[in-house]
Amino acid sequence: PFDLPEAESELVAGYHTEYSGMRFALFFLGEYANMIAVSAVATTLFLGGWLRPFPSVRALSFLDLPFLPAGLVGVLWFSVKVFAFLLAYVWFRGTFPRYRFDQLMDLGWKWLIPLALANLLITGLVKLWW
């Protein structure tokens, strides 16, 4: 969370000034490779990996794509889900404004830490009572 670009003017942004040319390209290649890796892990953990959407629903059996080889169907569904996560990443990144450091600290100290403490308290009370 602390690698936000700090921009006095909107022309120069923090760590982007230290890199140019090939170094800049490799920096962003690493950033996007990380996005792909995280999307693949999230697809595996939360969206069922290579399985079609809602595999236990018989009405959606047409999503099995019987005209394709079984191995290719799994790769296709996995790729579609990874691209959906990547679309969400790029969409959120382009839609939401960039926080300044003072706004980030305000968000963390005034909202997220009390929310985390409330979550911890409520979870402790629920575990205590049940």
Side-chain angles (χ1 to χ4, degrees):
F2 301 110
D3 61 348
L4 294 174
E6 185 176 5
E8 291 296 325
S9 67
E10 288 298 319
L11 299 176
V12 179
Y15 55 86
H16 296 164
T17 61
E18 300 171 10
Y19 302 105
S20 65
M22 196 60 182
R23 289 182 185 164
F24 186 75
L26 289 174
F27 183 82
F28 271 92
L29 181 68
E31 188 173 332
Y32 281 99
N34 181 40
M35 286 172 51
I36 292 169
V38 169
S39 296
V41 169
T43 295
T44 304
L45 292 178
F46 301 115
L47 294 182
W50 61 88
L51 300 175
R52 68 173 172 85
F54 306 107
S56 61
V57 178
R58 295 288 293 159
L60 297 176
S61 63
F62 66 92
L63 292 176
D64 286 332
L65 305 175
F67 53 87
L68 291 176
L72 188 61
V73 172
V75 171
L76 179 72
W77 280 120
F78 187 80
S79 300
V80 165
K81 293 174 185 180
V82 167
F83 285 133
F85 267 109
L86 288 173
L87 175 70
Y89 267 120
V90 173
W91 190 2
F92 290 159
R93 190 176 186 180
T95 301
F96 294 118
R98 185 175 64 211
Y99 281 110
R100 293 189 323 254
F101 281 110
D102 62 325
Q103 293 171 329
L104 180 67
M105 293 299 134
D106 180 66
L107 177 71
W109 284 104
K110 291 183 181 175
W111 295 100
L112 296 179
I113 290 178
L115 185 66
L117 291 174
N119 184 20
L120 186 66
L121 179 68
I122 291 169
T123 304
L125 290 175
V126 166
K127 292 296 277 183
L128 182 67
W129 283 338
W130 276 278

